[in-house]
Amino acid sequence: MHGLINRSIQSFLRDTYGGALWDSVAADTGIGSQGFEALMSYDDALTDTLIDAAALRLCKPRDALLEDVGIYLVAREPLRRLLRFGGVDYADFLQSLDELPDRVRLAVPELEMPDLSLTAAGTGRFRLTCRGGHPGFAAVFTGILRAMADDYGALVLIEAGGGDGDAETVGIELLEARFASGRQFDLARPVPR
Amino acid sequence: MMDGGTHSDSATVGEGGLGRLMPMHLWIAPSGHIRGAGPTLRKLCSETALLGARFLEVFAVHKPRPVQSMEDLSRLVGQRLHLSLRGSPRTALRGLAVPLEGGQGMLINLSFGIAVADAVREHALTNADFAPTDLTVELLYLTEVKAAVMEELAALNRRLRAAQQAAEKRALTDVLTGLANRRALELALAREIRGVERGAPGFALVQLDLDHFKSVNDTLGHAAGDRVLVRVAEVLRNATRGHDTIARIGGDEFVLILPGPVDDAMVRRIARRIIEGLEQPILYDGRPCRVSASVGAALSASYERPDPDRMLSDADAALYQSKHRGRARYTIHSTAPLPSAQGKTGGTDEG
């Protein structure tokens, strides 16, 4: 698994639950408390070990933990911005998800993501299928889709749809595209101070 | 508009459709007045009433060559134009002009150049200001991604550099006392000798061996011995100057390098100060540990060409003379007297 993913989980645990929790998870798993380097690659099994150890420490189901990781990621301004580049409103953003793995590859060629495809499932209803990735991506996307709905100010119902072979799905029901005002997004990043 | 009329292969598109296809287009009448403009371009020129204004009063064409008249412009049809807004912030643009059929003037499509991010910021453009087929937004996305990845790389480099410096420091440090180790001593000695070869004023090499250390270890244990060694390091630091090198090169063996103008008197003074300092009892677990030191020194000034191994072995020989003479002594080795050796005739200088 790419270091960016492991490092994201590490930052999530440290920022949300504190350094002491991260230190115990790091000790449980034999990862040094320095943790992961974002630009290096690690064995896939290590990521699962990390997630399981954190879920055990926090007494949380694995999927709930991963959904929180997704919400945490959107709360990081650089990542939120990169996701907002996807579309002018939530519906447009949903349609851009198919392109997301390609966008990610443009940024970090070594970062492997599942294939994403969005299909319509009735009026205002969609299904996002994550295929061929490591199990757990759909749970992360459940969190990302929820947080992005808030970001766009859309009223949305998101439901993890379970797995089927190497595919996992997320159900999305778009109730109101402009429910609230949402957060500001300027195409050009403010000039760094 | 753009109704070619007579030609059956002409397509006709309305103003609104043209604006969506090319949000930065301009329709210029043969007179040089702007008859139509795309929505993004109108946003760019909010201060200027674009419609009805003369094209060349709002825009400056710089390349392939400056344009003064509509006639000049018509000769640049089909070529890549470099333009800018005449008004502040003088946004740079590139464009392409094509003639319209039926004497309707010409159509120019514009876009931002490489400084697109600045233009987007200055004009507060949004995703909706670009045609869905335009890759400008992807360019902005990539610019941001690149900056984020570069920042990550720079942070990684900083961490690696810090780790490398820490490892280098560890490799040159004696863990117990924090003094230099043998490797660091060798480097410092080589540096001083190179200095002498380049005309530096020389240096003294001082070897020091603890007296009675073995009995402290034997009677009070190794923890007491360690306590003594740490105290010795303090005494040596207090007795020397900031730029002197203090190294622990074995169990109870220490070496000092004292650079700069240095003479026998100064070495004697420092040796006395060290021996006095070390003879103060060191308390361990409330019990006094008593040690002293024997000192031997060699001065680079007493050699024609100082050699590190030779100086170390001479200082060591001087040290053993001190031990021989009853410990708690210092001895300065001197050979082949040089004029600067103040009339000494070889042998040793003892105290």
Side-chain angles (χ1 to χ4, degrees):
Chain A
M1 195 70 70
H2 198 275
L4 267 176
I5 291 176
N6 293 340
R7 178 109 183 154
S8 299
I9 300 172
Q10 174 187 339
S11 305
F12 160 73
L13 291 173
R14 187 178 274 165
D15 292 354
T16 313
Y17 301 104
L21 177 101
W22 164 251
D23 288 344
S24 6
V25 171
D28 292 350
T29 50
I31 301 161
S33 61
Q34 294 270 5
F36 299 97
E37 276 300 342
L39 296 174
M40 288 166 69
S41 278
Y42 298 86
D43 192 48
D44 276 4
L46 191 57
T47 309
D48 282 327
T49 308
L50 170 65
I51 296 166
D52 291 339
L56 195 66
R57 280 267 169 194
L58 295 167
C59 303
K60 244 177 184 293
R62 188 185 151 98
D63 281 357
L65 184 80
L66 290 177
E67 187 179 325
D68 287 348
V69 171
I71 293 170
Y72 168 83
L73 289 175
V74 175
R76 313 274 301 228
E77 181 64 8
L79 211 83
R80 176 189 87 94
R81 286 189 53 78
L82 295 181
L83 288 165
R84 282 289 293 254
F85 272 106
V88 288
D89 56 26
Y90 194 69
D92 201 23
F93 164 74
L94 287 178
Q95 296 297 342
S96 77
L97 286 174
D98 289 19
E99 282 184 353
L100 190 64
D102 285 332
R103 273 180 190 274
V104 169
R105 262 190 289 280
L106 275 180
V108 187
E110 306 82 18
L111 178 49
E112 282 176 36
M113 291 247 313
D115 285 334
L116 299 178
S117 70
L118 187 87
T119 44
T123 315
R125 289 169 183 268
F126 304 90
R127 189 169 49 244
L128 178 70
T129 308
C130 308
R131 197 181 299 277
H134 200 71
F137 268 104
V140 177
F141 271 102
T142 305
I144 289 178
L145 291 175
R146 284 221 168 101
M148 286 306 287
D150 288 345
D151 207 80
Y152 278 105
L155 186 62
V156 176
L157 281 179
I158 312 271
E159 208 180 341
D164 172 23
D166 72 338
E168 303 175 296
T169 61
V170 185
I172 305 142
E173 189 176 355
L174 181 53
L175 301 173
E176 207 173 328
R178 289 185 192 279
F179 176 72
S181 57
R183 285 179 63 198
Q184 178 74 20
F185 173 68
D186 296 318
L187 265 193
R189 198 165 45 150
V191 182
R193 278 140 285 146
Chain B
M1 70 179 280
M2 287 185 75
D3 186 356
T6 52
H7 294 272
S8 58
D9 59 349
S10 300
T12 305
V13 61
E15 175 91 48
L18 192 64
R20 278 195 290 282
L21 276 172
M22 296 189 281
M24 290 180 63
H25 75 269
L26 280 173
W27 176 19
I28 305 170
S31 64
H33 293 85
I34 296 171
R35 282 190 62 186
T40 303
L41 209 50
R42 286 202 299 272
K43 191 169 174 177
L44 237 59
C45 306
S46 52
E47 300 295 313
T48 330
L50 212 47
L51 296 186
R54 290 181 61 86
F55 168 73
L56 288 172
E57 282 168 5
V58 183
F59 297 89
V61 181
H62 310 291
K63 285 179 179 177
R65 49 185 175 274
V67 164
Q68 310 293 345
S69 65
M70 287 310 290
E71 205 182 327
D72 288 350
L73 184 62
S74 66
R75 279 196 283 271
L76 296 179
V77 154
Q79 299 189 41
R80 176 153 81 177
L81 307 177
H82 291 253
L83 317 81
S84 64
L85 286 178
R86 287 192 187 277
S88 182
R90 302 181 186 282
T91 304
L93 299 160
R94 54 181 63 175
L96 177 76
V98 293
L100 293 174
E101 292 175 356
Q104 296 211 74
M106 58 175 67
L107 188 69
I108 302 184
N109 194 23
L110 298 173
S111 74
F112 299 106
I114 198 70
V116 57
D118 296 335
V120 166
R121 187 177 302 114
E122 280 157 6
H123 300 286
L125 300 182
T126 72
N127 228 324
D129 292 314
F130 294 93
T133 47
D134 190 334
L135 289 178
T136 299
V137 174
E138 271 66 25
L139 184 64
L140 295 174
Y141 161 83
L142 269 181
T143 309
E144 266 191 57
V145 159
K146 192 210 70 171
V149 172
M150 291 297 284
E151 175 50 44
E152 223 14 271
L153 267 179
L156 173 61
N157 278 336
R158 284 194 294 272
R159 285 194 293 277
L160 290 178
R161 178 90 187 108
Q164 185 195 11
Q165 282 171 340
E168 278 171 3
K169 193 166 182 334
R170 271 199 303 281
L172 296 175
T173 305
D174 172 55
V175 178
L176 176 64
T177 60
L179 298 176
N181 62 13
R182 182 182 288 275
R183 172 90 188 113
L185 172 78
E186 284 165 359
L187 291 173
L189 187 53
R191 188 174 62 232
E192 289 306 326
I193 285 179
R194 280 198 304 276
V196 169
E197 285 162 0
R198 282 197 301 265
F203 64 97
L205 185 70
V206 180
Q207 290 235 37
L208 184 148
D209 200 289
L210 295 186
D211 299 328
H212 319 301
F213 180 68
K214 190 172 179 308
S215 80
V216 170
N217 260 340
D218 290 348
T219 57
L220 298 172
H222 286 285
D226 285 353
R227 170 76 192 94
V228 167
L229 292 171
V230 170
R231 174 63 192 151
V232 170
E234 277 171 36
V235 169
L236 293 178
R237 283 196 191 97
N238 291 337
T240 53
R241 305 158 299 175
H243 62 280
D244 295 333
T245 299
I246 315 169
R248 176 175 172 229
I249 60 165
D252 60 348
E253 295 169 63
F254 298 82
V255 176
L256 316 181
I257 297 176
L258 315 173
V262 58
D263 57 21
D264 290 8
M266 186 185 136
V267 174
R268 277 199 297 273
R269 211 162 48 238
I270 289 180
R272 262 200 303 275
R273 219 187 300 160
I274 291 172
I275 292 171
E276 279 168 23
L278 289 179
E279 289 186 342
Q280 304 292 319
I282 299 162
L283 284 183
Y284 174 74
D285 242 5
R287 301 168 67 181
C289 311
R290 293 182 190 280
V291 295
S292 184
S294 298
V295 177
L299 271 67
S300 68
S302 49
Y303 299 85
E304 196 87 49
R305 293 183 69 109
D307 170 80
D309 293 337
R310 171 87 193 281
M311 283 186 74
L312 278 168
S313 91
D314 287 348
D316 200 46
L319 166 68
Y320 273 87
Q321 282 190 41
S322 298
K323 286 253 183 213
H324 227 70
R325 292 191 296 112
R327 301 173 192 267
R329 305 294 176 98
Y330 55 86
T331 307
I332 300 177
H333 181 92
S334 76
T335 55
L338 295 175
S340 65
Q342 295 176 334
K344 287 209 180 53
T345 52
T348 54
D349 177 19
E350 302 173 345

